[in-house]
Amino acid sequence: MMKIFGATSTTDEVLDGINLRGKRVFITGVSAGLGVETARALVAHGADVIGTVRDLDKAHVNTKVVRDAAAQSGGSVEIIHMDLADLASVRKVSDAMAAANQPFDLVVANAGVMATPFEHTKDGFESQFGTNVLGHFVLANRLAPLMRDGARLILLSSNGHRFADVDLDDPNFAHTPYDPWLAYGRSKTGDALLAVAFDARHRHRGVRAASIHPGVILTELVRNMDPADFQAAFTSMNEQHLALGFPPFEVKTVAQGAATTLWAGITADAETIGGKYCEDCHVGEILADDAAVSAFSAGVRPYAIDPVRADALWARAEELVGERF
């Protein structure tokens, strides 16, 4: 009998009874929060995980729980340095993976930045679009030849995609006044669209892709906000959520937040999740253009899963990074 999971399901519940011995997984951003929990749950079930981080010293401390789980289960974890905001770093790591020629069953584009000040990556891209979208675009495509038939790519999007569609004419805010949440929304829409485009290009061999909204979890993603400002914004968003008639909102634990990644990446039927936007361990509802939403409510805007828009982003991303895939 198929198990039904939801918003409060945890990583261990989603993977209950599943043996991942021999499965290889690549995860970006395993030095904190969702990345650590995703890696821990996978190795606890026997998987072999390669995780990337920007700060190896920080990761060594924060991934002890992952190493402990691996020691008990027979799984393994390897932590390597990679900076998504530096495409040379991404290419160096992907070249090393290609040279090792060991296949992957799951790739999780987990790392990201949120609501950063106006900055640029080493390659000159606006930092959120460059890190969240273009860094993962190059990585996923360079790892694609290593993905076994039946493998999956999971990209972390967010319901923050509803702040904005991608702007393919001005991706770096050269002509648009910069707003950190507008930029975040663009980047999370970009991640959702990349899943659509990647899935379309690889499903003929059984490799599927999906984007996921993990829910609202208090992780290091909020590090760029003043704590008082964050609390004021959070309170205001919750009041709006209730005023629209939605049920009381609850922040997720990290184990609940990472559950949708593992549901879409391991547990769910491939045809169910392929090319889709998922949340709360199910495929997200497509919202009408005029649907009222809060910062905490569910659902995906049609522009974030539009295949035509996804192909346009793909072509623009190839132009920007100087590689054709």
Side-chain angles (χ1 to χ4, degrees):
M1 185 173 180
M2 183 176 293
K3 297 177 181 177
I4 304 299
F5 302 105
T8 61
S9 298
T10 66
T11 49
D12 287 330
E13 290 169 348
V14 166
L15 294 183
D16 183 42
I18 297 177
N19 186 342
L20 297 177
R21 290 284 182 94
K23 301 294 186 182
R24 298 187 72 247
V25 183
F26 190 100
I27 310 174
T28 63
V30 298
S31 63
L34 294 172
V36 170
E37 174 59 17
T38 301
R40 183 209 63 79
L42 287 163
V43 301
H45 287 262
D48 298 312
V49 169
I50 294 177
T52 73
V53 300
R54 287 182 298 177
D55 186 333
L56 287 169
D57 291 334
K58 173 184 173 183
H60 181 74
V61 174
N62 289 352
T63 57
K64 181 180 185 302
V65 64
V66 184
R67 296 193 303 274
D68 290 347
Q72 293 177 12
S73 69
S76 68
V77 58
E78 178 184 357
I79 306 299
I80 59 177
H81 175 266
M82 189 183 77
D83 184 356
L84 284 164
D86 179 0
L87 293 182
S89 175
V90 175
R91 290 170 176 136
K92 179 180 178 180
V93 168
S94 58
D95 286 346
M97 296 298 105
N101 197 31
Q102 292 183 300
F104 290 104
D105 299 280
L106 174 64
V107 175
V108 180
N110 168 82
V113 292
M114 182 177 78
T116 59
F118 187 41
E119 298 171 341
H120 292 87
T121 68
K122 289 191 177 179
D123 302 278
F125 305 121
E126 184 276 315
S127 61
Q128 297 189 74
F129 186 75
T131 301
N132 298 346
V133 180
L134 296 180
H136 280 131
F137 174 74
V138 171
L139 178 70
N141 279 298
R142 284 171 152 256
L143 293 183
L146 296 174
M147 296 176 72
R148 300 187 218 257
D149 292 356
R152 301 185 191 186
L153 167 68
I154 304 300
L155 294 112
L156 267 71
S157 180
S158 165
N159 68 355
H161 78 272
R162 300 184 311 219
F163 293 140
D165 192 0
V166 290
D167 186 332
L168 302 182
D169 296 322
D170 188 23
N172 297 315
F173 285 85
H175 309 290
T176 307
Y178 182 76
D179 176 270
W181 289 108
L182 178 67
Y184 180 67
R186 287 182 180 184
S187 74
K188 293 293 99 175
T189 295
D191 286 327
L193 289 172
L194 285 186
V196 174
F198 191 95
D199 186 80
R201 286 158 175 76
H202 294 279
R203 62 187 174 208
H204 67 278
R205 63 185 181 99
V207 173
R208 307 307 300 262
S211 63
I212 72 107
H213 167 49
V216 177
I217 310 103
L218 300 183
T219 70
E220 285 193 359
L221 262 185
V222 300
R223 62 184 172 269
N224 293 298
M225 297 188 68
D226 177 88
D229 290 344
F230 173 79
Q231 187 58 51
F234 186 88
T235 299
S236 175
M237 289 186 289
N238 198 31
E239 289 172 351
Q240 180 211 26
H241 180 78
L242 294 172
L244 288 170
F246 293 111
F249 171 73
E250 293 185 11
V251 174
K252 287 189 178 186
T253 67
V254 173
Q256 291 169 339
T260 302
T261 295
L262 298 180
W263 176 80
I266 301 289
T267 308
D269 175 72
E271 192 64 30
T272 297
I273 59 93
K276 302 295 197 301
Y277 169 98
C278 305
E279 58 188 347
D280 294 340
C281 296
H282 62 255
V283 173
E285 176 187 359
I286 301 173
L287 297 166
D289 289 335
D290 60 352
V293 297
S294 81
F296 302 140
S297 60
V300 58
R301 290 295 190 193
Y303 59 69
I305 52 173
D306 179 354
V308 175
R309 197 73 176 141
D311 284 343
L313 172 61
W314 190 278
R316 186 71 171 110
E318 287 182 328
E319 287 179 17
L320 291 169
V321 303
E323 286 189 77
R324 296 290 301 274
F325 298 109

